[in-house]
Amino acid sequence: MSEQISSKQQQELQTQYSNYKNNLQQIAQKIGDLEQEAEEHKLVLETLAPLPIERKCFRMINGVLVQRTVGDVRPAVSTNADGLKKLLDDLLKQYKAQQAEMEGWKG
């Protein structure tokens, strides 16, 4: 009977460990995706910076390409980039907290 309990406990521990690893992996994937998106926003802002504000440009909004001016697009892209940075910081904190929780669980 004690072997069944210990093997059951071992299985539960293995499941918990797998859950921790999967959660960390998912958060890391999201962080990677957001870092890539933030880099794209940075490149767009660098490209738009020297252009006159009345120049026309195109922007993809919800899968639709729309024509705007640089003056319209630059602030929107900047706001989105700032939001991505904040989200990225939050995810990094969440990752570190999850990692610390996992280390505490390991004992």
Side-chain angles (χ1 to χ4, degrees):
M1 177 96 173
S2 65
E3 284 184 27
Q4 288 180 336
I5 293 172
S6 66
S7 67
K8 186 175 181 180
Q9 286 176 339
Q10 185 177 5
Q11 187 177 9
E12 288 174 3
L13 291 174
Q14 183 64 36
T15 302
Q16 275 186 309
Y17 180 76
S18 295
N19 287 340
Y20 277 122
K21 292 294 276 184
N22 288 338
N23 287 341
L24 285 173
Q25 194 172 25
Q26 287 175 348
I27 294 170
Q29 178 66 40
K30 288 178 189 175
I31 288 171
D33 292 346
L34 286 177
E35 284 177 339
Q36 182 178 2
E37 198 168 333
E39 185 62 29
E40 289 173 5
H41 278 70
K42 179 183 166 203
L43 288 173
V44 169
L45 288 171
E46 288 173 358
T47 303
L48 292 177
L51 300 176
I53 61 171
E54 66 275 352
R55 181 174 175 166
K56 82 174 149 177
C57 66
F58 296 90
R59 180 175 181 215
M60 184 76 71
I61 300 175
N62 294 329
V64 178
L65 192 62
V66 294
Q67 181 177 327
R68 298 279 188 256
T69 64
V70 171
D72 294 335
V73 171
R74 197 181 307 155
V77 173
S78 180
T79 300
N80 286 352
D82 292 342
L84 285 173
K85 287 177 191 172
K86 183 183 181 314
L87 188 58
L88 191 55
D89 289 342
D90 291 346
L91 276 176
L92 285 170
K93 288 176 188 172
Q94 184 181 351
Y95 183 87
K96 288 177 183 176
Q98 184 81 25
Q99 196 172 33
E101 184 180 328
M102 182 177 160
E103 290 300 319
W105 176 81
K106 280 183 182 179

